[in-house]
Amino acid sequence: MSERLPQDPGAQQAASAAEAALPEHAETAPAPAAPSVPAPAAPEGFTTDSADTWHRVHPVSPLVRGWIAVAAVIFIFGRNSLDSLFSGGWQDGEAVTGGTPVLFILIVVGSAVVIFGVAFFLSWRFTRYQVTDENVHINSGIIFRQQRRARIDRVQAIDVIQPLLARAFGLAELKFDVADGGKSAIKLSFLKLAEAKRLRAAILARAAGVTMDPDQPMNVQEAPETQLLALPPRRIIGAAFFSSTTVVAVVFIAGAVVAVTRTGEFAIFLGFFPLFIGVFASYWKTITNDLNFRVASSPDGVRLHYGLLETRSQTIPPGRVQAVSISQGPVWRPFGWYRVQVNVAGYGDDSSGSSRSVVLPVGTEAEVMAVLGLVFPDPGVERPFDVFAAGLRGVGADEGFVHSPRAARWVDPISWRHNAFRATATALLCRRGRFFRSLQVVPHERTQSLGLRQGPLMARLGLVNFELHSTVGPIRPGVHHLSTANGLELFDEQSARAATARRIQRSEKWLQAKQTLPEEPHHGD
Amino acid sequence: MGAGRKNLPKSHSSLIDPVGVNFLPVSKKLITARFISAGIGAFIFLAITMVPLILHLIGVWAGYPAWLAWAAPAVVVVIVGWEMLLIPRQVRAIGYAERDEDLLIRGGILFHRVMVVPYGRMQYVDVTMGPIERMLGLSTIHLHTASPGTNALLNGLPAAEAARLREQLTARGEAKLAGL
């Protein structure tokens, strides 16, 4: 290690254990760094780090990260040794193990503790980070060293995640996303919760364009949050049960019942058992993930808080939302529930099973409009509620939507009047589907590229598919089966609109773009 | 499907081309390049399907049905012939146009495709050259935006033109760069 560390490398385990109780950044924060004041608005001195100041994550981090491995080893080995202990039974007050001497068990357990301990200590020891004015750096790895640097002004989203065990320790993981399709550039796991929040505030302040004086610690406060809505638990649970999973499960149960009554063979139910486990696992996952879902707005962007066991709080800074989709399946229709998802360049396509791109798991139309107002503040149209309602529920040419021509009924007899688009001054709205409805909203300045496609059958019917390319994410905007004339017109106009919007686009540093704000906008009101 | 020949446009401008845009064609040598690569594929498939036929003819594998022995290579020949017939028209259908703000790319004869890539959205530009392309002095240029949906691939540009286009695109991209 070439850089000088703030801590003497010689002071080993004892120091590391002691440090757990100390505020980690005492040496770099000249202002009274009141450790861990969890109140979000508490002022704390913070300077960005100079090039040779490095910090470490919290010492128990590797344990929190690797507890599953530890638990697995303890479980497997412990069970075996317990088995052998009890198979031998007790004689004259002494344990007679089934062939395995007690000493051997102790040695194995002891060496496991030492090996894990050393591995954890090294992994902690070799992970260091710093936040400079421009970059976030993280160095990690024992044998394969990795040095990573991400530019702060390229931040797309910041998450503070607390897995269950980390919550027990009061720790949190800070995740810093750049536009790399969800590979998550920087992950700091784990920091004290207050420290994670403070770093998040500092990074966002830097990304927003607030300049920091390196000699003078500045008070970076967490941007004040205004809670917009909180989803009641019964809605989350209801939405989980009234879902397509339930429809599939009901179909299978009905099939099982029919099979059992036909054959009188109850063992068939056993065959369906794994399926039921899967269904309940899916309910469990949805409910624990989405419970306590809260949406808040802050000058630093949209804040989402959610989770029962593992809690997450996501921040999407202004202008980072690439596309929005509002969707509704047939089961949710009677309840008037919708789901809102976004494309954010740092989130990727959710293929790993996480649902970070969901900004509203289940909401009423009023809640959808409220969230839309947050992620997409300027609808660019008069009477936006009517226009978006027509986009959600409308059919035909209501509110200026342009739908597929009659000829499209040959290829899409069900929803040709539902497939439609409408351009506002700021975004393109694409409506699609009759039973599985969705409305996709793409701001003009977020358009990456456009395409038109036409196959032979569509050429004969005079139809064309319009597609709009957004960043990696769950939303792939486009309009199906437009008439060729409409498609061509949309293609031309949309590329012109996107060009205009790009020219007047706000700066990536969102506070610099608004000149009217006071000097320290982070104080809020 | 029944998209008869008469429905296909005579000139190589499809129905969905934006109006008033003058598309530049790619090099005619791309026809040769595609002939060669299609020919290599055809040769391999033909060789494989010829094996039973030859074995049958020289009597080693007399039990093999004669119709099948003849049909397999025949099918390959028909498919390759069809492919070869399409290649010149496919190549002539490829076109690109540099506008003030964006690059237009079109292609396809049965399945038309038009794409517009704004200069300000380009993240990087790839220029590649395979062995056949190098022989004929051609390059392929590939434009990448932040979206995986942008499949802006332009085959068969003369190497000099590809280099010019790359410089042009990166220069314009820098001038118009608009973040994400």
Side-chain angles (χ1 to χ4, degrees):
Chain A
M1 276 178 287
S2 54
E3 295 92 342
R4 199 191 65 82
L5 288 170
Q7 181 202 330
D8 178 21
Q12 298 276 316
Q13 253 116 346
S16 81
E19 209 186 51
L22 289 172
E24 268 191 290
H25 295 264
E27 69 272 24
T28 54
S36 353
V37 184
E44 289 189 46
F46 185 83
T47 51
T48 46
D49 302 325
S50 59
D52 51 356
T53 318
W54 290 85
H55 309 290
R56 290 221 170 82
V57 295
H58 199 278
V60 302
S61 305
L63 181 68
V64 177
R65 246 178 298 149
W67 71 274
I68 292 184
V70 178
V73 167
I74 290 175
F75 176 73
I76 293 166
F77 190 77
R79 212 183 58 166
N80 282 348
S81 43
L82 273 184
D83 275 355
S84 48
L85 261 180
F86 287 117
S87 65
W90 296 81
Q91 259 180 15
D92 304 332
E94 263 185 56
V96 176
T97 59
T100 326
V102 178
L103 188 66
F104 176 72
I105 294 177
L106 285 180
I107 287 173
V108 171
V109 170
S111 54
V113 166
V114 169
I115 289 169
F116 274 121
V118 168
F120 283 171
F121 174 73
L122 286 178
S123 116
W124 168 78
R125 185 81 209 159
F126 281 79
T127 303
R128 295 173 307 151
Y129 69 93
Q130 70 177 184
V131 179
T132 66
D133 267 351
E134 301 295 329
N135 299 302
V136 179
H137 297 253
I138 183 161
N139 291 356
S140 61
I142 302 166
I143 298 164
F144 296 95
R145 306 297 307 273
Q146 185 186 46
Q147 301 195 345
R148 218 168 229 205
R149 160 192 302 213
R151 278 179 56 176
I152 285 179
D153 58 351
R154 292 298 161 89
V155 64
Q156 299 292 324
I158 289 193
D159 292 7
V160 172
I161 306 157
Q162 284 193 285
L164 190 59
L165 196 64
R167 270 171 86 185
F169 284 98
L171 300 177
E173 177 182 300
L174 188 81
K175 208 168 179 182
F176 177 97
D177 285 296
V178 294
D180 60 352
K183 288 195 277 280
S184 184
I186 301 267
K187 234 193 219 178
L188 292 176
S189 53
F190 289 90
L191 309 170
K192 285 218 179 75
L193 181 60
E195 175 64 17
K197 285 186 171 175
R198 211 174 57 113
L199 269 182
R200 176 177 69 184
I203 290 174
L204 284 169
R206 280 298 305 151
V210 177
T211 43
M212 288 186 192
D213 188 350
D215 301 323
Q216 218 176 358
M218 79 168 273
N219 288 339
V220 178
Q221 296 184 353
E222 279 243 49
E225 278 184 31
T226 321
Q227 181 158 315
L228 193 75
L229 57 95
L231 297 184
R234 61 173 190 282
R235 170 113 51 85
I236 303 281
I237 296 167
F241 282 109
F242 293 107
S243 63
S244 43
T245 317
T246 310
V247 174
V248 173
V250 165
V251 167
F252 272 97
I253 289 173
V257 168
V258 168
V260 168
T261 47
R262 280 277 178 86
T263 59
E265 194 78 60
F266 278 95
I268 290 176
F269 271 129
L270 291 180
F272 280 92
F273 202 64
L275 181 92
F276 296 142
I277 292 178
V279 167
F280 278 103
S282 131
Y283 288 150
W284 174 253
K285 193 168 169 254
T286 315
I287 291 171
T288 52
N289 188 51
D290 292 345
L291 220 58
N292 294 327
F293 202 97
R294 282 159 295 144
V295 183
S297 71
S298 83
D300 281 341
V302 185
R303 280 273 163 80
L304 308 172
H305 303 278
Y306 56 91
L308 179 66
L309 303 175
E310 174 178 301
T311 56
R312 276 171 174 268
S313 90
Q314 289 175 214
T315 308
I316 309 172
R320 262 61 170 181
V321 172
Q322 306 277 337
V324 187
S325 105
I326 307 147
S327 55
Q328 181 187 56
V331 189
W332 282 9
R333 175 90 63 93
F335 302 97
W337 289 339
Y338 297 90
R339 168 187 292 262
V340 183
Q341 284 176 295
V342 292
N343 272 3
V344 169
Y347 284 170
D349 58 358
D350 277 359
S351 54
S352 58
S354 71
S355 51
R356 299 167 72 202
S357 53
V358 177
V359 292
L360 185 64
V362 48
T364 61
E365 194 178 313
E367 288 165 345
V368 167
M369 296 296 178
V371 169
L372 264 181
L374 218 53
V375 294
F376 178 52
D378 182 11
V381 67
E382 288 171 33
R383 297 182 298 111
F385 289 103
D386 295 340
V387 172
F388 277 88
L392 292 177
R393 290 183 271 105
V395 61
D398 295 351
E399 297 292 346
F401 274 86
V402 180
H403 65 84
S404 309
R406 273 194 85 74
R409 68 190 187 281
W410 296 110
V411 281
D412 195 353
I414 294 168
S415 56
W416 62 277
R417 275 158 56 79
H418 293 262
N419 294 338
F421 73 91
R422 152 105 204 236
T424 75
T426 52
L428 185 73
L429 316 184
C430 308
R431 181 177 78 191
R432 85 163 55 144
R434 180 169 189 167
F435 297 112
F436 291 89
R437 296 158 155 181
S438 73
L439 174 70
Q440 297 161 332
V441 184
V442 187
H444 294 322
E445 73 265 26
R446 301 286 161 225
T447 310
Q448 295 289 335
S449 58
L450 307 171
L452 284 178
R453 278 174 193 275
Q454 187 184 48
L457 183 61
M458 290 176 70
R460 190 139 223 205
L461 295 169
L463 303 176
V464 68
N465 278 352
F466 172 80
E467 52 188 40
L468 211 152
H469 304 126
S470 177
T471 55
V472 191
I475 308 165
R476 290 169 178 274
V479 196
H480 288 310
H481 308 135
L482 285 173
S483 73
T484 309
N486 283 343
L488 269 176
E489 196 185 333
L490 176 60
F491 186 76
D492 275 347
E493 286 180 355
Q494 192 57 33
S495 52
R497 275 191 290 256
T500 317
R502 275 197 305 277
R503 254 176 264 131
I504 59 171
Q505 184 185 197
R506 299 192 307 166
S507 157
E508 296 253 297
K509 299 183 173 174
W510 58 94
L511 287 180
Q512 283 184 350
K514 301 181 211 161
Q515 296 299 332
T516 49
L517 278 168
E519 268 188 17
E520 261 190 288
H522 269 270
H523 283 293
D525 28 70
Chain B
M1 290 305 227
R5 183 158 299 196
K6 62 179 187 299
N7 275 6
L8 290 170
K10 297 274 183 298
S11 70
H12 293 279
S13 68
S14 75
L15 285 170
I16 61 166
D17 280 351
V19 215
V21 178
N22 202 6
F23 282 98
L24 296 172
V26 295
S27 167
K28 294 277 179 295
K29 286 182 188 162
L30 183 61
I31 302 178
T32 322
R34 292 208 172 163
F35 271 141
I36 294 173
S37 53
I40 292 172
F43 178 77
I44 294 168
F45 272 106
L46 209 56
I48 294 169
T49 49
M50 287 291 268
V51 171
L53 180 64
I54 292 166
L55 290 179
H56 178 77
L57 287 184
I58 60 175
V60 178
W61 195 0
Y64 194 73
W67 66 270
L68 196 59
W70 284 103
V75 167
V76 172
V77 167
V78 167
I79 291 174
V80 170
W82 174 246
E83 210 182 327
M84 298 281 192
L85 274 179
L86 283 183
I87 283 176
R89 297 174 60 201
Q90 271 174 340
V91 167
R92 278 197 293 267
I94 302 174
Y96 63 99
E98 288 167 83
R99 298 199 295 191
D100 287 346
E101 290 280 345
D102 41 38
L103 182 80
L104 276 167
I105 296 178
R106 70 139 194 239
I109 41 173
L110 217 51
F111 293 90
H112 305 293
R113 192 173 77 102
V114 185
M115 178 173 283
V116 57
V117 186
Y119 300 128
R121 287 290 179 233
M122 279 184 314
Q123 301 291 328
Y124 61 98
V125 180
D126 267 346
V127 179
T128 54
M129 214 185 238
I132 300 171
E133 284 179 317
R134 187 166 350 175
M135 214 171 66
L136 296 164
L138 298 179
S139 311
T140 295
I141 198 159
H142 195 167
L143 275 59
H144 298 263
T145 68
S147 166
T150 311
N151 185 19
L153 192 69
L154 204 49
N155 288 115
L157 289 169
E161 169 68 1
R164 183 199 67 82
L165 198 58
R166 182 192 60 205
E167 293 309 316
Q168 185 81 357
L169 290 176
T170 39
R172 286 187 170 174
E174 229 160 77
K176 311 236 178 215
L177 187 67
L180 272 183

